[in-house]
Amino acid sequence: MRRFITLLLILFLALPLRASEEAIKEAADLYFNFKQQEALEKFIELSKETGERDAFLNAVYIALELGQTRLAVDTVSMALKKFPLDTEVLEFAGEAYLAAGYYLNAENVFARLNENNNKTAFYYISLARAQMGMGQYDLAEINLKQAAAGDQHTALANFMLGELYSKKKQYRKAAAHYKKVFVFDSQFIEAKERYGDMMVKLKRFKEAYTN
């Protein structure tokens, strides 16, 4: 889901400018000039040559953006070997594994964030996404409710609760959470569309088409 990917924005120009300063600037320029594939190849090359954490992360980010999940997984796996406890590397690894459908790997990676005492709303939501992928809806529900009770990513947590209840065919509960999303983010278009879908499921057609 693209909305999740955009949560992981990278500031390319903030990369550390060491011996590879010119190469990093070149890779960043490629990306900002809409040459994502060339930028991806450059960042992968840089990650292998320099071992820079941000080179790895930028490569993973672009690979996911281009839908090249296998490459994203391979790249982030190398980053994990070098930076096994780094919070951002763990978050990117989880995203890559989720995108590739490796839900158990994703769950294991997000569990490492727990070990690092990084129990943020993003952690709970990410862990729940992995659990939903494995059909562990009860565990996912617990984690999403924990995230929804906080003050960060509340709209996203409620949206995911809507998705969970929709999968369980509990359409009334799903609709309630999709509607709650609007309280926190009135521009969350996908939530409005999903709310309309739930109204159709509940045969409340007037609300579906006037939403």
Side-chain angles (χ1 to χ4, degrees):
M1 187 181 297
R2 188 167 182 82
R3 187 174 183 89
F4 294 111
I5 300 302
T6 57
L7 294 173
L8 302 175
L9 291 173
I10 301 290
L11 295 177
F12 290 89
L13 297 180
L15 285 169
L17 302 179
R18 301 192 180 106
S20 55
E21 176 179 352
E22 197 58 41
I24 288 173
K25 183 179 182 302
E26 181 183 336
D29 287 344
L30 286 170
Y31 180 84
F32 287 118
N33 282 293
F34 306 103
K35 297 179 180 179
Q36 287 94 334
Q37 184 61 44
E38 292 179 47
L40 171 60
E41 293 169 3
K42 191 67 179 177
F43 275 120
I44 288 176
E45 179 184 330
L46 283 169
S47 67
K48 293 177 179 177
E49 290 179 356
T50 68
E52 288 281 358
R53 186 199 71 141
D54 290 326
F56 281 112
L57 294 184
N58 284 316
V60 175
Y61 177 84
I62 300 173
L64 288 173
E65 189 176 57
L66 295 176
Q68 298 180 29
T69 54
R70 179 69 256 179
L71 181 57
V73 166
D74 290 343
T75 304
V76 84
S77 295
M78 290 189 287
L80 275 173
K81 290 178 182 178
K82 191 171 179 64
F83 308 99
L85 299 178
D86 185 275
T87 297
E88 282 192 282
V89 172
L90 288 169
E91 290 178 351
F92 271 64
E95 286 296 320
Y97 289 139
L98 283 174
Y102 299 159
Y103 300 116
L104 183 58
N105 297 64
E107 184 181 43
N108 290 336
V109 164
F110 290 127
R112 286 199 224 171
L113 287 173
N114 182 21
E115 294 171 4
N116 288 356
N117 295 317
N118 287 300
K119 284 190 173 183
T120 62
F122 180 78
Y123 158 75
Y124 288 113
I125 292 168
S126 299
L127 184 57
R129 289 167 60 206
Q131 291 164 338
M132 286 173 65
M134 295 185 289
Q136 297 175 352
Y137 296 120
D138 291 342
L139 289 175
E141 182 177 7
I142 292 170
N143 284 311
L144 288 172
K145 284 183 175 179
Q146 182 71 31
D151 56 5
Q152 292 185 329
H153 304 308
T154 314
L156 182 57
N158 277 285
F159 178 81
M160 290 306 301
L161 277 166
E163 294 290 272
L164 184 148
Y165 290 128
S166 177
K167 288 179 182 294
K168 294 175 73 173
K169 301 188 186 305
Q170 296 178 14
Y171 302 126
R172 198 174 302 278
K173 279 188 174 182
H177 282 284
Y178 289 132
K179 189 172 185 178
K180 194 176 289 186
V181 172
F182 312 155
V183 176
F184 302 103
D185 184 354
S186 61
Q187 301 304 310
F188 202 138
I189 303 301
E190 194 170 357
K192 292 183 178 181
E193 293 174 350
R194 296 292 289 137
Y195 178 77
D197 293 340
M198 294 306 102
M199 292 299 98
V200 171
K201 295 282 188 183
L202 294 168
K203 301 188 185 305
R204 290 159 58 176
F205 300 110
K206 183 176 180 180
E207 292 178 64
Y209 297 118
T210 57
N211 173 48

